[in-house]
């Protein structure tokens, strides 16, 4: 019994990164219940990560603080929703592949159900009557300021050197004139390549041993990216929508708001049929729902193809990134130890700040230049930037003020 306790303590201090090593046993039902309950009350990926750390590191000591910080660092290095990527890795560290699937499903289920339910009621005449053009414009202004404050904070944290500033500015210019998914893929590839070539460190081979299944997984992900990047004839846009969405998910770094221009390229087209109003309202209300800001995907999926569309859209966006983060987890130490790779990732993350800037631009050009919207923008900027109020409180205040104005103004 004493030897078994010593072995378990050693495992917790140095959690395994290789799937072939058996992690500490933990009930799958308990894992599902904890992650589900934390995801249901977490607004944004950062909140979910904080609650998972509090439970599994501080309360149950399933992982050490250093091990959990490694999970968070890797989640930022790969594309996709950061909070869900951390949950998937946590499940993998505790119960292997089955734990990764259970934790991933539990982290997605709350916002999937809520946003799909909202999409159902969105089709009713009552919602269309309430969602007037004035209210949509005010909500768009709040969303734009929320993204703008996020862009400001990310720029201060990620964009520092000349090369990083050049990557961010050039990416903004390229995104402003981009009309296809290929431009987004090209921007990320160029930013990563520039960071790799400009690294002051000497060339060190990135030696990563791959199994045959790993190679097949990477090939499948590369094929999805190619489907998203290549221009397609009009009929194939709807036929290949879900594979293209999966490929688009492989280009999303730096948080959910960076997805706005990418997802707009996919869904707001004549072939798919999602309107600009549908798209803007979904992103405006995404901070009101638990989960990462990519919780809008089930909403769009339902508008396209009902319940089946909501389910397939969610799987298409979240499963590939979850598979990739589990694969990368086994090689985390080798990647972090390579200075050229780390420098390339810094430039890549600097380039992704352009997605936020362009998202603000897309919103700003559609809002009329009227004093009421400037007042809303000023109010939202103060709430988010200075007072750090939650998004739902700002939306509630603006919605109430707008309703009173429409009723009595």
């Amino acid at each position: 019994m004493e030897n078994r306790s010593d072995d378990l303590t050693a495992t917790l201090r140095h959690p395994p990164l290789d799937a072939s090593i058996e992690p500490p046993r933990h009930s799958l039902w308990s894992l599902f219940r904890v992650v589900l309950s934390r995801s249901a009350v977490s607004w944004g990926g950062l909140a979910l990560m904080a609650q998972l750390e509090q439970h599994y590191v501080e309360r149950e000591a399933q992982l050490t603080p250093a091990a959990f910080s490694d999970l968070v660092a890797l989640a930022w290095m790969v594309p996709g929703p950061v909070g869900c990527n951390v949950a998937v890795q946590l499940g993998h560290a505790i119960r292997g592949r089955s734990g990764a699937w259970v934790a991933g499903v539990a982290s997605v289920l709350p916002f999937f159900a809520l946003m799909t339910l909202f999409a159902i009621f969105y089709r009713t005449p009552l919602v269309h009557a309430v969602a007037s053009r004035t209210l949509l414009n005010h909500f768009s202004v709040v969303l734009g300021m929320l993204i703008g404050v996020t862009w400001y904070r990310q720029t201060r944290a990620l964009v520092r050197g000349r090369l990083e500033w050049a990557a961010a500015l050039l990416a903004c210019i390229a995104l402003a004139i981009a009309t296809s998914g290929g431009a987004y893929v090209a921007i990320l590839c160029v930013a990563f390549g520039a960071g790799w070539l400009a690294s002051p460190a000497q060339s060190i081979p990135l030696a990563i041993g791959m199994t045959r299944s790993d190679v097949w997984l990477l090939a499948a992900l590369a094929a999805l990216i190619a489907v998203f990047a290549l221009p397609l004839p009009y009929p194939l846009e709807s036929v290949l929508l879900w594979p293209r969405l999966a490929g688009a998910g492989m280009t999303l770094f730096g948080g959910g708001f960076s997805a706005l221009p990418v997802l707009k390229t996919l869904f707001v087209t004549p072939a798919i049929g999602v309107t600009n109003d549908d798209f803007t309202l979904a992103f405006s209300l995404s901070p009101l729902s638990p989960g990462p800001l990519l919780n809008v995907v089930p909403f769009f999926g339902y508008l396209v193809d009902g319940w089946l569309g909501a389910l397939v859209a969610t799987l298409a966006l979240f499963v590939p990134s979850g598979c990739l983060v589990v694969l990368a987890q086994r090689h985390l130490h080798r990647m972090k130890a390579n200075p050229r790779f780390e420098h390339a990732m810094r430039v890549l993350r600097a380039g992704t700040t352009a997605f936020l800037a362009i998202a603000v631009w897309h919103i700003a050009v559609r809002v009329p230049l009227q004093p009421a919207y400037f007042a809303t923008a000023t109010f939202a900027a103060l709430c988010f930037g200075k007072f750090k109020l939650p998004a739902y409180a700002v939306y509630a205040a603006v919605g109430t003020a707008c309703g009173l104005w429409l009723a009595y103004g």
Side-chain angles (χ1 to χ4, degrees):
M1 183 69 179
E2 184 177 354
N3 292 336
R4 180 177 178 82
S5 177
D6 292 341
D7 292 341
L8 179 58
T9 302
T11 302
L12 290 175
R13 288 177 179 173
H14 305 284
L17 293 177
D18 195 324
S20 63
I21 301 176
E22 183 70 17
R25 302 302 294 174
H26 191 74
S27 167
L28 287 175
W29 166 245
S30 176
L31 176 66
F32 177 83
R33 176 177 53 81
V34 171
V35 176
L36 179 72
S37 62
R38 299 308 186 270
S39 179
V41 294
S42 297
W43 276 261
L46 295 178
L48 176 58
M49 288 187 288
Q51 294 207 60
L52 292 177
E53 181 177 17
Q54 182 183 42
H55 184 85
Y56 284 104
V57 176
E58 299 176 8
R59 183 181 301 178
E60 294 197 355
Q62 287 287 321
L63 294 174
T64 64
F68 190 85
S69 66
D70 282 346
L71 304 186
V72 174
L74 182 58
W76 282 107
M77 291 171 62
V78 300
V82 179
C84 293
N85 283 347
V86 169
V88 169
Q89 291 184 87
L90 178 68
H92 185 265
I94 293 175
R95 283 299 303 266
R97 292 182 179 178
S98 58
W101 281 101
V102 167
V105 171
S107 67
V108 169
L109 191 58
F111 69 80
F112 167 79
L114 187 60
M115 292 302 286
T116 304
L117 186 65
F118 173 65
I120 295 173
F121 285 98
Y122 178 72
R123 293 297 196 186
T124 62
L126 176 62
V127 173
H128 279 278
V130 172
S132 66
R133 166 58 55 188
T134 301
L135 180 63
L136 287 176
N137 285 338
H138 281 284
F139 276 5
S140 296
V141 171
V142 175
L143 175 63
M145 297 312 300
L146 179 57
I147 300 176
V149 171
T150 304
W151 169 81
Y152 174 74
R153 291 171 178 167
Q154 285 201 11
T155 302
R156 292 190 62 184
L158 300 177
V159 185
R160 296 179 179 178
R162 291 182 179 179
L163 181 59
E164 292 165 357
W165 274 110
L169 294 175
L170 292 176
C172 283
I173 296 173
L175 285 173
I177 60 177
T179 58
S180 68
Y184 305 127
V185 177
I187 289 168
L188 297 177
C189 291
V190 170
F192 183 87
W196 181 277
L197 295 175
S199 173
Q202 295 181 354
S203 180
I204 302 175
L206 188 61
I208 299 178
M210 292 285 181
T211 65
R212 180 173 296 182
S213 60
D214 294 341
V215 174
W216 278 109
L217 174 61
L218 292 177
L221 296 178
L224 293 174
I225 295 174
V227 171
F228 168 65
L230 295 176
L232 297 175
Y234 179 85
L236 290 181
E237 286 187 13
S238 57
V239 173
L240 297 178
L241 174 61
W242 308 129
R244 295 185 72 214
L245 177 61
M250 293 292 96
T251 70
L252 301 180
F253 293 83
F257 284 136
S258 63
L260 192 149
V262 179
L263 295 181
K264 191 171 186 179
T265 301
L266 283 176
F267 287 103
V268 185
T269 66
I272 305 304
V274 175
T275 66
N276 267 304
D277 286 348
D278 298 336
F279 188 87
T280 302
L281 181 62
F283 258 99
S284 298
L285 298 181
S286 63
L288 305 183
S289 171
L293 295 174
L294 289 171
N295 55 23
V296 295
V297 170
F299 178 89
F300 296 140
Y302 187 89
L303 294 186
V304 173
D305 198 18
W307 278 98
L308 180 60
L311 177 61
V312 175
T314 305
L315 292 174
L317 189 71
F318 289 89
V319 169
S321 63
C323 293
L324 180 61
V325 78
V326 169
L327 171 62
Q329 189 182 30
R330 301 204 303 268
H331 309 289
L332 172 62
H333 293 300
R334 293 189 183 96
M335 291 187 294
K336 289 179 65 176
N338 189 292
R340 295 182 71 92
F341 180 84
E342 179 60 27
H343 188 266
M345 288 301 301
R346 285 205 305 270
V347 178
L348 173 63
R349 286 190 288 265
T352 59
T353 60
F355 287 78
L356 299 175
I358 295 301
V360 175
W361 171 254
H362 279 309
I363 294 172
V365 296
R366 295 186 57 82
V367 176
L369 297 177
Q370 296 178 6
Y373 300 124
F374 281 108
T376 298
T378 303
F379 172 74
L382 289 173
C383 290
F384 294 134
K386 184 175 180 60
F387 301 110
K388 296 179 174 57
L389 295 179
Y392 60 83
V394 182
Y395 277 108
V398 171
T400 301
C402 185
L404 293 174
W405 174 262
L406 292 176
Y408 303 106

